[in-house]
Amino acid sequence: MGAGHSHSHDHGHGHGHAHSHAPADFGNAFLIGIVLNTAFVVVEATYGWISGSMALIADAGHNLSDVLALLLAWGASVAAKRPASQRFTYGYKSSTILAALANAGLLLVAIGAILFETLHRMAEPAPVQGETMVVVAGIGIAINAGTAALFMRGQDDINIRGAFLHMAADALVSLGVVIAGLAIIWTGARWIDPAVSLVIVAVIGWGTWGLLKDSVAMSMLAVPRGIAESDVRAYLAALPGVETVHDLHIWPMSTTETALTAHLVMPQGHPGDAFLRDVAHDLDHHHRIGHPTIQIETSRADCGAGC
């Protein structure tokens, strides 16, 4: 929080950079996840084609979208660490939000492609090798669950949470394919394979909706999840000497960092830098807002219609 200063309206400004809540380094996790899942996509798609299993092919398509999602998330996390420039004064932090939005779009494309082929298979069921489904999907459970575990500790970041949910969902989907394969072995019913594909589409769609909703909200500069605007406003309004709060804005700078601007009307005058530092500390530690900018005003006349 910088020192306050005065200008023509005798406003004081304070700007703080407390803890930035920067994401942890998941570079190795991304690399391992991408390599393992790329190899598995090739294996699963190949054996899905050989065995005639649409469930395996559908899962391979979903896994391919997850590889692209991991690449996007990794690229964004690297870009977010680049320093600010004269043009990009926030740096490239918001690239993590764009990556999350792009990942949701990729999943929607995958859903459409899988659903199209699944409906075709429902109309014309093809013979399926249940044993192949069980073996390949069983390998998928191990790979996806292991990859999900790599991202277990980063749930506060929507990018990392998205990677975790993708991998965890894939493990569950692979489990569903194993069950379908066993059911086909026992019953010989061909309709089970495309039916499981529809369940896979539903699982992917459920996860995609949450990711899409969160990423669109962040791209529209909505108050991030876990932060209540009303609580922040009440905290600022209750500060000693504050008569009213106006022009309060809270928005995500990235998937892990939040900024705030607010005007505090304090008729007794600027309270000093210590006050501003304390406000920055409280906003960071109690509301997870690491980049606050506070403007002090001594008269309601300065805030116009905002008061």
Side-chain angles (χ1 to χ4, degrees):
M1 188 75 69
H5 68 270
S6 298
H7 57 70
S8 59
H9 294 290
D10 195 26
H11 297 177
H13 298 260
H15 182 71
H17 291 284
H19 299 114
S20 63
H21 302 290
D25 186 0
F26 283 88
N28 290 335
F30 279 121
L31 180 59
I32 293 171
I34 289 169
V35 170
L36 287 177
N37 281 274
T38 299
F40 182 61
V41 164
V42 175
V43 172
E44 190 172 35
T46 299
Y47 279 94
W49 180 266
I50 293 173
S51 66
S53 170
M54 188 56 215
L56 279 179
I57 295 174
D59 195 29
H62 184 209
N63 278 314
L64 178 59
S65 73
D66 284 344
V67 171
L68 296 177
L70 289 175
L71 284 169
L72 279 171
W74 191 10
S77 67
V78 171
K81 297 175 183 176
R82 294 184 59 185
S85 65
Q86 291 183 344
R87 184 176 185 188
F88 296 96
T89 56
Y90 277 135
Y92 298 84
K93 300 178 186 296
S94 61
S95 61
T96 55
I97 299 174
L98 295 178
L101 188 60
N103 286 340
L106 281 173
L107 283 169
L108 290 176
V109 172
I111 288 173
I114 296 170
L115 185 59
F116 176 82
E117 184 60 29
T118 297
L119 293 177
H120 175 72
R121 288 295 184 96
M122 289 288 284
E124 300 177 16
V128 177
Q129 298 176 17
E131 295 84 355
T132 302
M133 289 176 63
V134 171
V135 173
V136 175
I139 296 172
I141 293 174
I143 290 177
N144 290 319
T147 305
L150 296 175
F151 299 101
M152 183 91 64
R153 61 188 175 90
Q155 300 304 294
D156 289 341
D157 185 339
I158 188 177
N159 260 337
I160 303 303
R161 177 161 57 91
F164 170 78
L165 290 175
H166 278 305
M167 296 300 110
D170 280 350
L172 292 176
V173 167
S174 294
L175 177 60
V177 175
V178 169
I179 294 172
L182 292 174
I184 290 172
I185 293 172
W186 294 332
T187 67
R190 296 181 178 182
W191 61 267
I192 293 176
D193 180 64
V196 169
S197 297
L198 288 178
V199 174
I200 292 174
V201 168
V203 171
I204 299 171
W206 179 261
T208 300
W209 171 245
L211 182 62
L212 180 63
K213 183 172 63 173
D214 287 347
S215 57
V216 167
M218 295 190 83
S219 66
M220 294 292 289
L221 304 184
V223 176
R225 279 180 176 270
I227 298 176
E229 191 269 358
S230 59
D231 290 347
V232 175
R233 183 179 294 274
Y235 161 73
L236 294 173
L239 290 171
V242 174
E243 183 176 284
T244 188
V245 178
H246 68 98
D247 287 305
L248 172 60
H249 302 285
I250 306 169
W251 71 97
M253 296 172 59
S254 71
T255 54
T256 59
E257 300 180 63
T258 303
L260 170 150
T261 59
H263 294 214
L264 307 183
V265 177
M266 305 183 72
Q268 301 305 314
H270 196 290
D273 291 348
F275 170 87
L276 297 174
R277 285 193 295 269
D278 289 344
V279 171
H281 179 274
D282 289 345
L283 287 172
D284 185 41
H285 288 80
H286 300 300
H287 299 281
R288 300 183 62 217
I289 299 173
H291 297 264
T293 301
I294 303 296
Q295 176 164 310
I296 305 300
E297 298 168 348
T298 59
S299 171
R300 282 177 175 266
D302 292 329
C303 63
C307 291

